[in-house]
Amino acid sequence: METVIERMRDGIEEAGMRRAGEILRRGGLVAFPTETVYGLGADALDEKASGKIYQAKGRPSDNPLIVHIADWEAIGKIAAEIPPGAKLLADAFWPGPLTMILKKSDAVPLATTGGLDTVAVRLPSHPVARALIRAGGGYVAAPSANTSGRPSPTTAEHVAQDMDGVIDMIIDGGSVEIGLESTIVDLTEGTPTILRPGYISREMLEGVVGRVEVDHALLSEDVNIRPKAPGMRYRHYAPRAQLVIVEGEQQRVRQRINELAAANAAEGRSTGVIGTQESRGCYANALVKSIGSRQDESSIARHLYGILREFDDSEVSVIYSESFDTPQLGQAIMNRLIKAAGHQIISV
Ligand code: TXA
Ligand code: MG
């Protein structure tokens, strides 16, 4: 199939948006920008259309999709119950990078929810995303637009690397703003529980609904504790090279990485390093990439997936990454990085 690219970096282009909406309405697939990462959209209420998403991504069919809406009122059709906390969180954080798990209505096919009786709902803030949802009928199922197991796409080029020839259209809205997937909070049982950390932190949620828990599996090293979000159970974002996180006092981290890189060079193995604007000049014997600045944690979040993809195009056999335990986004950044590293961490 030929994948049409519609360029909307400078805003919505009406004719292209109409074509994108028609593709969704007749059961096709359109990738589009959101403020978090690019999504791969299909009509969420059409089980055949949702099914195509799993095929295009090579995604296990028990891993549910997020249903994207463009207006609060749309939630009534897909959620069987709307707990008071949902309205409070929506007022505080929608449109934006928050996904809520609610009891699903009969309108949502099980193909969309991976067989679960709950549904994940998100109202994104990106204007192109919202225009597409409206053009497509109001309910767009969209996982991140990567092949299963690859880093989530933060540019239209990343989407094309994985999806060219496989889907009907890619809307190119330029680079995304946040770069990490939305925070997922489960509102279906008692205390609201974070199933996936993101830009909206636990503290921000607690400021609105009181006590919030974090899924125990996210805090544990024990692989036998199953995360509640099916997608968090799969190995994700794994770069081709071995990835190892080096954590500790910054001066000592730099020193240890340099020792490791020197040892690799002596053995003829090439090394990659994920450093920052502040540290990039401190490394030798390695291909060094700056992820952003420690003075601006959002720059680190925004570039994480792109850097992992760039290293996939290089010849390095091992990558050492500094640790980024920054104030607001640190939890979300490290959750992704630790998964990408398959939990390989050196503490110095
Ligand atoms: O920022 C985002 O959320 C992006 C953009 C495109 O909106 N989407 C995204 O979708 O990250 P995806 O499919 O890559 O991740 C969805 C996550 C998976 O871990 C899935 O298991 C979980 O949400 N999920 C979806 N429905 C669920 C449900 N009913 N119960 C528990 N977890 C659910
Ligand atoms: Mg994903």
Side-chain angles (χ1 to χ4, degrees):
M1 134 179 355
E2 197 209 331
T3 303
V4 176
I5 313 267
E6 289 283 353
R7 202 184 147 98
M8 301 197 196
R9 291 193 186 178
D10 307 314
I12 294 156
E13 204 261 298
E14 294 296 338
M17 191 55 82
R18 230 176 1 256
R19 285 192 288 275
E22 278 159 18
I23 291 172
L24 291 180
R25 284 169 192 271
R26 59 172 170 74
L29 301 183
V30 177
F32 62 99
T34 81
E35 67 278 20
T36 57
V37 299
Y38 272 75
L40 177 57
D43 181 351
L45 306 185
D46 173 348
E47 65 180 323
K48 269 178 69 190
S50 290
K52 285 187 191 166
I53 289 180
Y54 291 93
Q55 252 191 332
K57 282 181 62 87
R59 179 176 176 116
S61 62
D62 63 352
N63 189 4
L65 308 174
I66 296 174
V67 180
H68 294 67
I69 56 177
D71 306 277
W72 162 257
E73 288 70 30
I75 202 170
K77 182 164 178 178
I78 53 175
E81 282 166 35
I82 301 169
K87 180 76 174 83
L88 292 173
L89 290 174
D91 285 343
F93 302 116
W94 278 0
L98 179 70
T99 295
M100 296 193 239
I101 309 290
L102 303 170
K103 294 248 155 56
K104 86 171 191 70
S105 76
D106 292 338
V108 187
L110 290 168
T112 299
T113 65
L116 299 176
D117 61 2
T118 53
V119 61
V121 190
R122 175 158 118 77
L123 202 169
S125 64
H126 198 297
V128 171
R130 295 178 73 185
L132 178 71
I133 295 162
R134 292 203 178 100
Y139 299 90
V140 174
S144 48
N146 51 287
T147 303
S148 222
R150 293 213 74 202
S152 296
T154 53
T155 66
E157 288 75 25
H158 295 162
V159 178
Q161 286 169 8
D162 290 7
M163 295 294 161
D164 190 31
V166 178
I167 62 175
D168 300 281
M169 180 184 281
I170 298 170
I171 302 181
D172 179 354
S175 293
V176 302
E177 201 182 305
I178 295 176
L180 299 176
E181 304 87 341
S182 60
T183 305
I184 301 179
V185 59
D186 184 353
L187 298 176
T188 62
E189 328 177 44
T191 313
T193 304
I194 294 175
L195 306 189
R196 179 173 73 182
Y199 181 86
I200 308 286
S201 66
R202 181 183 195 169
E203 291 68 33
M204 290 161 80
L205 296 170
E206 288 189 325
V208 176
V209 288
R211 200 162 71 86
V212 171
E213 283 177 17
V214 178
D215 183 2
H216 294 300
L218 301 185
L219 305 171
S220 168
E221 286 286 296
D222 183 348
V223 289
N224 294 315
I225 306 180
R226 281 161 66 87
K228 288 187 183 139
M232 300 293 277
R233 292 172 200 152
Y234 299 102
R235 175 134 194 236
H236 249 155
Y237 327 126
R240 282 193 252 280
Q242 182 192 9
L243 173 64
V244 181
I245 299 165
V246 183
E247 66 173 20
E249 192 274 315
Q250 283 178 41
Q251 227 28 54
R252 297 181 61 189
V253 166
R254 294 173 192 178
Q255 193 186 341
R256 175 63 71 86
I257 291 177
N258 273 324
E259 288 163 11
L260 291 163
N264 288 341
E267 289 169 16
R269 300 205 308 154
S270 56
T271 301
V273 172
I274 301 179
T276 60
Q277 287 309 105
E278 291 79 15
S279 69
R280 65 182 309 163
C282 305
Y283 296 106
N285 298 304
L287 173 62
V288 184
K289 292 184 189 288
S290 166
I291 192 172
S293 167
R294 285 193 184 268
Q295 307 302 316
D296 172 16
E297 58 175 330
S298 65
S299 68
I300 295 177
R302 193 159 58 236
H303 296 130
L304 174 63
Y305 289 141
I307 280 219
L308 293 176
R309 278 184 184 258
E310 280 182 31
F311 272 121
D312 276 350
D313 297 333
S314 76
E315 294 298 313
V316 302
S317 51
V318 54
I319 306 163
Y320 300 109
S321 176
E322 296 177 14
S323 173
F324 307 103
D325 249 331
T326 58
Q328 189 203 323
L329 300 176
Q331 232 207 348
I333 294 169
M334 292 312 292
N335 169 265
R336 288 7 176 233
L337 193 59
I338 289 170
K339 280 176 85 170
H343 291 264
Q344 291 192 81
I345 303 172
I346 298 174
S347 293
V348 294

